[in-house]
């Protein structure tokens, strides 16, 4: 059971989207007890570009600090600022370029088919359990070189990391649940890295374990953070992208028919799906100096929450923004962030979503959400995704 998720029958993301509309129209920069919520596209683009004023090192908000998280954060790209960020990112960049991940296409296709073979002959199944969760976790574990059979354990650690919500995580949850889980994760990854130092293999973890920067090997926390982040950033998000695609196609059968008939429309449709239902609705930054956002004075040391899911629905950037249009020019959407922290795994996520959907369309002449069962959703402020997605299929 996730520490963060709530189980709701209605799609709670829709309520959040109406809140975005109200805020975009009335108060695009809003202060609450935790900090500053920012909704407009141009304000958010400026925040993401100005990494000096808007730091990613939000762990400094934890008071008291949590040592196991601090260790993990030594290599956590998302919460590290320049110049150290550049050094860490350059160590794994090459494994995730569009060209490098294109080489994984056949493997992704095979994994997808093997997973769907397990529900062969069934006319209903849960897409999360059968494909959307299992595919990205298998792919990322194989790339990193971690044993796929340890996956149930990663789920527990991933839930603990998912519970971290910048300044808002309750201190007792941080100390009693998140901390111990992160410690176990750190120890596990360190042990795996040690093995790669003794016997190098050809996976990403081996590269990290044996890398040298300025003539020195990486520190344990750096290896653990980069590996752990990549593992966790790489699966819940892609799972959400696949599920949200099936959900939106179910709500827009005319778009589904068009894509089925002309598969060259699929990549554009996936971008539009992610624009409207981005897996991560928001990012987190902290101000390093007194500044202003949208004309409002913001002091140093404050939490800033750029709601990228709202920016993607800002009418000043995307005309008729709430409309689902698979032919829309979606360039500039903020699904994967922007600037130096732009998602490292974007090419991989796009490829996995495209292959998963193509295989589903190939194997099934009809695919729809099974509305006889109640849908459950994650907390959309953390992850916009159904918790389970029962589907009905016709071979
Ligand atoms: C649809 C799927 C995905 C979405 C929506 C997504 C979203 C994001 C976003 C918004 C950021 C920027 C965070 C920030 O600026 O604070 C990010 C960073 C990152 N993502 Fe993804 N991601 C996805 C898939 C993946 C995959 C498959 C991987 C696996 C390699 C991955 C690895 C990373 C890493 C390592 C970073 C940190 C980059 C940095 O800070 O330099 N992501 N992702």
């Amino acid at each position: 059971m996730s520490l963060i998720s709530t189980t709701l029958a209605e799609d709670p993301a829709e309520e959040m989207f109406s809140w975005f509309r109200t805020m975009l129209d009335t108060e695009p920069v809003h202060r609450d007890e935790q900090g500053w919520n920012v909704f407009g596209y141009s304000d958010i683009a400026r925040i993401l570009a100005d990494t000096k004023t808007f730091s990613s090192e939000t762990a400094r908000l934890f008071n008291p600090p949590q040592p196991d998280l601090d260790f993990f954060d030594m290599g956590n790209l998302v919460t590290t600022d320049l110049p150290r960020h550049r050094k860490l990112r350059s160590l794994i960049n090459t494994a995730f370029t569009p060209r490098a991940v294109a080489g994984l296409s056949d493997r992704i296709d095979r994994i997808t088919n093997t997973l769907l073979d397990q529900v062969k002959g069934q006319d209903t199944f849960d897409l999360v359990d059968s494909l959307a969760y299992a595919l990205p976790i298998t792919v990322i574990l194989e790339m990193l070189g971690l044993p796929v059979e340890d996956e149930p354990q990663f789920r527990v650690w991933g839930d603990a990391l998912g519970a971290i919500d910048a300044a808002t995580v309750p201190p007792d949850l941080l100390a009693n649940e998140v901390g111990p889980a992160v410690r176990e994760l750190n120890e596990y990854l360190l042990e795996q890295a040690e093995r790669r130092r003794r016997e190098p293999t050809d996976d990403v973890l081996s590269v990290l374990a044996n890398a040298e920067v300025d003539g020195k090997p990486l520190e344990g926390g750096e290896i653990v953070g980069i590996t752990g982040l990549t593992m966790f950033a790489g699966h819940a998000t892609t799972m959400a992208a696949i599920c949200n695609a099936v959900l939106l196609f179910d709500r827009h059968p005319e778009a589904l028919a068009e894509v089925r008939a002309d598969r060259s429309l699929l990549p554009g449709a996936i971008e539009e799906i992610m624009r409207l239902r981005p897996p991560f609705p928001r990012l987190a930054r902290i101000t390093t100096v007194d500044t202003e956002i949208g004309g409002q004075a913001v002091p140093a040391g404050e939490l800033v929450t750029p709601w990228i899911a709202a920016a993607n629905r800002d009418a000043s950037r995307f005309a008729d923004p709430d409309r689902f249009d698979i032919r829309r020019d979606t360039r500039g959407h903020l699904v994967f962030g922007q600037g130096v922290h732009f998602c490292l795994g974007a090419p991989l996520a796009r490829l996995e979503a495209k292959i998963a959907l193509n295989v589903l369309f190939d194997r099934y002449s009809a695919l729809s959400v099974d509305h006889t069962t109640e849908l459950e959703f994650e907390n959309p402020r953390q992850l916009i995704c159904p918790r389970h997605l029962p589907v009905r299929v016709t071979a």
Side-chain angles (χ1 to χ4, degrees), residues 48 56 76-80 85 89 92 96 136 140 143 226 229-241 274 278-280 282-285 308 334-338 340-346 348-350 352:
L48 299 185
S56 289
N76 183 349
L77 295 178
V78 173
T79 56
T80 303
H85 169 267
R89 185 161 167 143
I92 47 164
F96 293 96
I140 197 68
M143 284 182 84
I226 302 180
L229 168 73
T230 308
M231 180 160 76
F232 293 115
H235 72 264
T237 46
T238 309
M239 168 184 85
M274 292 194 295
F280 284 154
R282 61 179 165 166
L283 303 178
R285 296 293 187 266
I308 51 175
L334 299 178
V335 172
F336 294 111
Q338 204 169 62
V340 296
H341 290 280
F342 182 82
C343 177
L344 183 76
L348 178 61
R350 287 177 164 132
E352 288 182 67

Side-chain angles (χ1 to χ4, degrees), residues 264-295:
S264 70
L265 293 171
L266 185 55
I270 292 172
E271 296 303 306
E272 174 68 344
I273 287 158
M274 292 194 295
R275 181 189 70 85
L276 275 177
R277 291 182 72 86
F280 284 154
R282 61 179 165 166
L283 303 178
R285 296 293 187 266
I286 176 168
T287 49
T288 55
V289 290
D290 293 352
T291 183
E292 63 77 32
I293 307 174

Side-chain angles (χ1 to χ4, degrees), residues 87-147:
K87 177 186 101 170
L88 294 175
R89 185 161 167 143
S90 67
L91 293 168
I92 47 164
N93 237 348
T94 47
F96 293 96
T97 59
R99 184 191 288 224
V101 301
L104 298 173
S105 294
D106 289 349
R107 180 69 191 130
I108 296 172
D109 191 90
R110 268 202 310 279
I111 298 171
T112 307
N113 275 298
T114 306
L115 288 167
L116 289 174
D117 281 348
Q118 289 165 25
V119 288
K120 207 169 183 173
Q122 291 179 218
D123 55 9
T124 58
F125 56 87
D126 178 17
L127 193 76
V128 172
D129 286 349
S130 309
L131 177 68
Y133 178 83
L135 171 66
I137 186 95
T138 307
V139 172
I140 197 68
L141 290 179
E142 284 188 6
M143 284 182 84
L144 293 170
L146 293 170

